[in-house]
Amino acid sequence: PFNIIKLSAGMDSPASRKECQTYSQSMHGRHFHTTRMTPNRKTQLRAGGSIHWLINGAARCRQRVSDLD
């Protein structure tokens, strides 16, 4: 599977990342991440890829990609 690394700006811990996503899910019915650059390898991401979130300069948490819109 293909993985991508994203900077989680403004977050100081994995717990704050989770809190942000929980809020997004309560407001929109799902949690999502908007990016200005669409990944080129969409098929590989959909086939079990993950986002590795960088928090304070280190990959601190991993999130499975469920779909790309």
Side-chain angles (χ1 to χ4, degrees):
F2 182 69
N3 300 310
I4 57 176
I5 297 172
K6 296 294 291 181
L7 178 63
S8 190
M11 305 296 154
D12 58 355
S13 69
S16 61
R17 180 82 208 148
K18 175 81 172 163
E19 183 180 318
C20 180
Q21 289 180 335
T22 301
Y23 175 77
S24 174
Q25 185 164 359
S26 70
M27 295 299 290
H28 305 286
R30 65 187 179 116
H31 61 101
F32 57 90
H33 177 72
T34 303
T35 182
R36 64 183 183 149
M37 301 291 288
T38 304
N40 293 327
R41 298 166 76 177
K42 294 177 190 176
T43 304
Q44 292 162 310
L45 268 175
R46 284 187 181 115
S50 298
I51 298 174
H52 292 267
W53 290 104
L54 290 180
I55 300 172
N56 291 334
R60 303 275 308 273
C61 52
R62 178 178 151 260
Q63 181 178 12
R64 186 78 75 181
V65 172
S66 59
D67 197 8
L68 298 169
D69 290 334

